[in-house]
Amino acid sequence: MNEARKANQTAMVAEKKKMEAPAESRGISKQKWLEERKKKVGKILDANGLDMSKAYMLDTQDAAESKYKKWEKDPAPYGWDVFNPKTLYNAYKKRTKNIDVDLDEYNKLKEADPEFYREASSLQYGKAPKVSEDRIEKMVKELNNREEKRKSFSRRRKFHEEKDIDSINDRNEHFNKKIERAFGKYTLEIKNNLERGTALPD
């Protein structure tokens, strides 16, 4: 009798919660879904004797691969790869992404000029078509943007740990490198003597 009363009470409470639950605009809210998922994962981990830091062990191989693929980025081109046709084409695509093409104007120009696509044997070869001022302005703007990007870009230099530290800051290090390039061969013997402690006093 007592158990039936308890079961009835819990069913009534659950039904009341359902009735009072705020209506979600689009199904279940993301936060609630995440909480439920976390609880579910927590139960599975507890059953296997693991803590939440080992949640990745529940992922399937496919799920893990897709997750790692998202994290991976294409490495930046290095060395001679900078001048590969593929890299140059990607750079071209990146530059032309923001260019808007006016097909009507293009078709008008094509209709106006019978030799729009000229061959090498054409008598109009080398003759430049008239370009509107706004197109020139757009090109200048794009070139200026490229120049600004190039100026703002700074390549991170590799830090060599095995190299002796002979500078107090980056600027001084740069200056020391320049001095070394210019006078290094002349001062090598003096430096070695100072390091060994065999330099003769004046």
Side-chain angles (χ1 to χ4, degrees):
M1 183 81 172
N2 208 6
E3 287 177 25
R5 192 182 301 136
K6 278 184 183 176
N8 194 13
Q9 185 74 20
T10 52
M12 191 177 72
V13 169
E15 195 172 331
K16 191 175 181 185
K17 276 185 182 175
K18 272 187 189 175
M19 297 289 278
E20 290 177 356
E24 301 290 346
S25 57
R26 291 182 298 178
I28 191 165
S29 71
K30 191 173 183 180
Q31 189 176 358
K32 196 181 277 186
W33 179 82
L34 284 170
E35 285 172 7
E36 285 178 11
R37 189 171 182 275
K38 202 171 183 181
K39 283 179 188 174
K40 211 181 280 183
V41 169
K43 284 178 184 175
I44 296 168
L45 287 169
D46 286 341
N48 292 323
L50 301 168
D51 60 336
M52 279 303 281
S53 64
K54 305 276 186 185
Y56 64 88
M57 295 180 91
L58 297 177
D59 290 345
T60 61
Q61 183 182 354
D62 295 334
E65 280 178 4
S66 64
K67 194 188 289 183
Y68 288 126
K69 266 186 189 169
K70 283 180 189 173
W71 292 345
E72 281 176 8
K73 279 188 175 178
D74 290 337
Y78 177 75
W80 290 108
D81 288 339
V82 173
F83 304 109
N84 278 353
K86 185 177 184 293
T87 310
L88 293 172
Y89 178 64
N90 286 342
Y92 166 77
K93 277 201 300 189
K94 196 174 179 182
R95 281 181 60 200
T96 55
K97 188 170 59 179
N98 300 325
I99 295 173
D100 55 322
V101 179
D102 189 359
L103 288 173
D104 294 333
E105 188 181 342
Y106 170 75
N107 288 328
K108 280 178 190 172
L109 288 169
K110 200 160 73 168
E111 287 170 12
D113 190 358
E115 290 190 24
F116 189 74
Y117 296 112
R118 296 188 186 110
E119 295 178 1
S121 61
S122 171
L123 295 175
Q124 291 187 343
Y125 186 76
K127 182 182 166 190
K130 182 79 176 119
V131 181
S132 60
E133 286 293 321
D134 62 325
R135 294 283 174 195
I136 293 170
E137 287 296 321
K138 281 181 182 176
M139 186 189 75
V140 169
K141 188 180 175 186
E142 195 261 340
L143 289 171
N144 288 338
N145 287 343
R146 275 183 70 200
E147 191 66 32
E148 281 175 24
K149 275 187 183 176
R150 199 175 286 150
K151 281 180 182 174
S152 66
F153 177 75
S154 175
R155 183 165 58 89
R156 184 86 181 153
R157 303 301 197 266
K158 284 184 180 174
F159 178 71
H160 300 288
E161 286 185 9
E162 67 276 357
K163 193 170 170 269
D164 291 335
I165 297 169
D166 60 350
S167 57
I168 54 171
N169 56 27
D170 290 339
R171 191 173 172 194
N172 182 242
E173 183 183 359
H174 186 67
F175 178 76
N176 288 349
K177 279 181 187 173
K178 285 167 83 172
I179 294 290
E180 185 67 31
R181 272 200 305 268
F183 305 109
K185 57 186 175 185
Y186 307 115
T187 59
L188 182 65
E189 191 179 338
I190 298 167
K191 266 189 183 178
N192 290 339
N193 287 341
L194 286 169
E195 283 177 14
R196 284 194 302 263
T198 57
L200 296 171
D202 286 341

